Amino acid sequence: GHEPSLQSFKYLLRSLRKSGDTVRVETWFERLMQMQLQPDMDCVNEIIGAYVDQENLEKAIEWKAIAKRLGLIPNVDTYKLLIATYAKMGLLQDAEDLFDEMQKDRQEVPEAEFYALLTGDGHSFRPRQTVEEWSQRLLDAKIDIDSATYTAVIGAWASVGDATQAEDWFARMMEEEKATPEALA
């Protein structure tokens, strides 16, 4: 018979994640292991993502630990899933700790969008101190800031009632010719 490949398992896990069936996602992951196929971090991310989609952070974090025991290294997508969920649930210190772990483990400067997960975008509450700290860390990182990140940071400053900072960030965005209509909304 035909032996399924790791790639076909990834597609299956992704489909099952979209269906929201965490039991099936885990069951098929176990089958993948039983077939002596070596899963990669993308496979584990589908399980983490399935739990994140249900806001079950405990299980998502548990699977991050399982990945490490399997000798897999969490990748950018792993951190993005977890940081975004922590931030969305208002667990900002946990999100910040994970951000710092990512920076330490991966020895690279995270993309601008990671900073926006922490500054917020004006649609989810962030204390002023958080917006201040993370927008400053974004500037200090000296990385290219894309339009979506600028828009999020402008929204975050507007949501804490600081029109001056929102205008300053918009001016920066204009200076870099990255302004979008959404930034003015």
Side-chain angles (χ1 to χ4, degrees):
H2 174 71
E3 289 295 313
S5 68
L6 183 61
Q7 192 60 44
S8 54
F9 270 101
K10 280 187 207 179
Y11 289 132
L12 177 62
L13 294 173
R14 185 166 301 134
S15 297
L16 293 170
R17 172 189 171 185
K18 287 178 183 171
S19 76
D21 192 337
T22 53
V23 173
R24 276 207 171 117
V25 175
E26 282 196 35
T27 301
W28 278 99
F29 185 87
E30 286 170 21
R31 284 198 189 152
L32 178 158
M33 296 289 288
Q34 290 163 358
M35 295 182 75
Q36 307 296 307
L37 287 171
Q38 180 59 46
D40 61 14
M41 201 60 218
D42 292 335
C43 293
V44 179
N45 282 344
E46 293 302 335
I47 300 172
I48 291 172
Y51 284 113
V52 156
D53 295 345
Q54 296 178 357
E55 294 187 0
N56 185 341
L57 268 173
E58 194 175 308
K59 288 292 283 185
I61 293 297
E62 182 183 313
W63 272 94
K64 179 176 164 264
I66 289 169
K68 285 188 171 182
R69 286 198 300 274
L70 291 171
L72 300 173
I73 298 164
N75 62 25
V76 171
D77 292 329
T78 312
Y79 285 106
K80 199 180 296 181
L81 283 165
L82 295 170
I83 291 170
T85 305
Y86 274 132
K88 186 172 111 187
M89 293 175 75
L91 302 168
L92 297 176
Q93 188 57 57
D94 292 316
E96 290 179 22
D97 292 346
L98 213 48
F99 180 95
D100 293 337
E101 174 191 310
M102 174 185 68
Q103 226 172 351
K104 188 173 88 3
D105 282 0
R106 299 191 58 80
Q107 301 291 312
E108 63 188 49
V109 179
E111 299 161 34
E113 69 182 297
F114 277 97
Y115 292 88
L117 293 174
L118 289 151
T119 60
D121 57 9
H123 299 291
S124 50
F125 173 76
R126 297 287 187 280
R128 178 185 181 84
Q129 180 184 345
T130 301
V131 175
E132 264 174 42
E133 179 186 343
W134 285 92
S135 57
Q136 189 57 53
R137 281 181 74 167
L138 174 57
L139 290 177
D140 293 346
K142 296 189 181 347
I143 54 177
D144 185 48
I145 303 172
D146 61 356
S147 296
T149 301
Y150 269 121
T151 302
V153 174
I154 291 165
W157 278 111
S159 74
V160 296
D162 194 325
T164 304
Q165 279 290 344
E167 288 169 356
D168 289 351
W169 276 86
F170 186 74
R172 248 186 226 105
M173 186 183 196
M174 294 284 291
E175 216 170 270
E176 292 184 26
E177 299 178 359
K178 294 181 179 176
T180 62
E182 294 81 31
L184 294 170

